[in-house]
Amino acid sequence: EAQVTQNPRYLITVTGKKLTVTCSQNMNHEYMSWYRQDPGLGLRQIYYSMNVEVTDKGDVPEGYKVSRKEKRNFPLILESPSPNQTSLYFCASSPDGTYGEKLFFGSGTQLSVL
Amino acid sequence: TQLLEQSPQFLSIQEGENLTVYCNSSSVFSSLQWYRQEPGEGPVLLVTVVTGGEVKKLKRLTFQFGDARKDSSLHITAAQPGDTGLYLCAGYSGAGSYQLTFGKGTKLSVIP
């Protein structure tokens, strides 16, 4: 089944403790992206990757890092999480990210930073 | 970043009623998409509109892209409880654009 898989689904952590949220897609997509979703603010893009060689910042990249060492995986790294990073995170992918393409989303990771 | 304003933010209606959700911007978008998100899940694409004035129908859902490609609407006829969810519009700013900008969403509740 074609899908984007995120892990974990739920994560509670404390301020300053490094964490990684994994994202994997099995559709051979070039483009992958991370979003965070907050009440009243909607979905905001954190980082995106056009292919394994190119990664760029989205609208809210501060406090996050990403890595694209292979096409299928795009982990989101929080080096020193803070409470304002408590949010619902989504990973997404599409064939090559150009306009009009369908974006496939994972089921989300609910992160709480205490 | 180009902004997309969705209205209304919340909508609660009775089963069988019709409704329209709006997505507006001061900027031109090369294409606009509508997604539906259910609790605990990621958004799922409903439709993509590309041409100004374009109208697409998906069963009881009708999507329209404004002539100037700055706005879009989603009309649901005879809403059903299964239509309940968060509806999101999203736009690409230009050809070759890799950034999809989302509106804040319209939370729809259809009461049986």
Side-chain angles (χ1 to χ4, degrees):
Chain A
E1 180 187 355
Q3 61 185 0
V4 177
T5 303
Q6 291 178 231
N7 281 296
R9 285 295 302 266
Y10 302 93
L11 180 59
I12 301 174
T13 190
V14 295
T15 299
K17 187 176 182 181
K18 180 180 178 180
L19 67 92
T20 299
V21 183
T22 64
C23 174
S24 180
Q25 49 91 8
N26 63 0
M27 296 169 280
N28 201 38
H29 285 170
E30 293 288 343
Y31 179 87
M32 297 186 75
S33 180
W34 276 101
Y35 291 86
R36 61 178 288 175
Q37 188 173 35
D38 302 287
L41 296 177
L43 275 161
R44 295 178 292 168
Q45 190 175 49
I46 303 171
Y47 271 95
Y48 64 95
S49 173
M50 293 180 278
N51 52 59
V52 294
E53 296 177 354
V54 182
T55 298
D56 207 350
K57 297 177 181 178
D59 297 320
V60 288
E62 293 77 21
Y64 304 95
K65 286 177 58 178
V66 291
S67 171
R68 189 90 184 271
K69 297 179 181 177
E70 50 189 337
K71 185 185 283 191
R72 65 181 291 123
N73 295 322
F74 191 45
L76 180 68
I77 303 159
L78 284 71
E79 294 272 4
S80 183
S82 62
N84 64 12
Q85 293 179 297
T86 291
S87 185
L88 179 58
Y89 291 86
F90 287 101
C91 179
S93 74
S94 69
D96 61 25
T98 52
Y99 77 102
E101 276 193 339
K102 177 180 179 179
L103 206 56
F104 293 79
F105 283 85
S107 296
T109 296
Q110 180 65 59
L111 172 65
S112 296
V113 183
L114 305 177
Chain B
T1 303
Q2 296 173 297
L3 296 177
L4 280 166
E5 300 286 341
Q6 277 189 248
S7 61
Q9 190 176 358
F10 300 97
L11 191 54
S12 181
I13 62 171
Q14 294 291 131
E15 181 177 358
E17 293 183 351
N18 302 332
L19 67 111
T20 302
V21 176
Y22 299 93
C23 178
N24 296 296
S25 176
S26 59
S27 304
V28 174
F29 287 90
S30 59
S31 68
L32 203 136
Q33 298 180 322
W34 285 92
Y35 290 79
R36 179 165 164 259
Q37 184 180 12
E38 298 191 38
E41 297 297 330
V44 175
L45 181 67
L46 295 173
V47 76
T48 300
V49 285
V50 179
T51 305
E54 183 176 3
V55 177
K56 283 191 173 180
K57 292 190 176 183
L58 186 65
K59 296 182 181 179
R60 293 175 294 99
L61 278 61
T62 302
F63 305 86
Q64 185 162 6
F65 201 14
D67 291 340
R69 290 185 289 133
K70 293 182 179 182
D71 56 87
S72 181
S73 64
L74 158 61
H75 182 79
I76 301 179
T77 303
Q80 299 178 1
D83 296 326
T84 294
L86 180 67
Y87 290 83
L88 298 159
C89 66
Y92 285 97
S93 58
S97 171
Y98 291 97
Q99 285 193 277
L100 187 61
T101 300
F102 280 85
K104 295 179 180 179
T106 294
K107 191 169 184 179
L108 172 64
S109 296
V110 182
I111 303 165

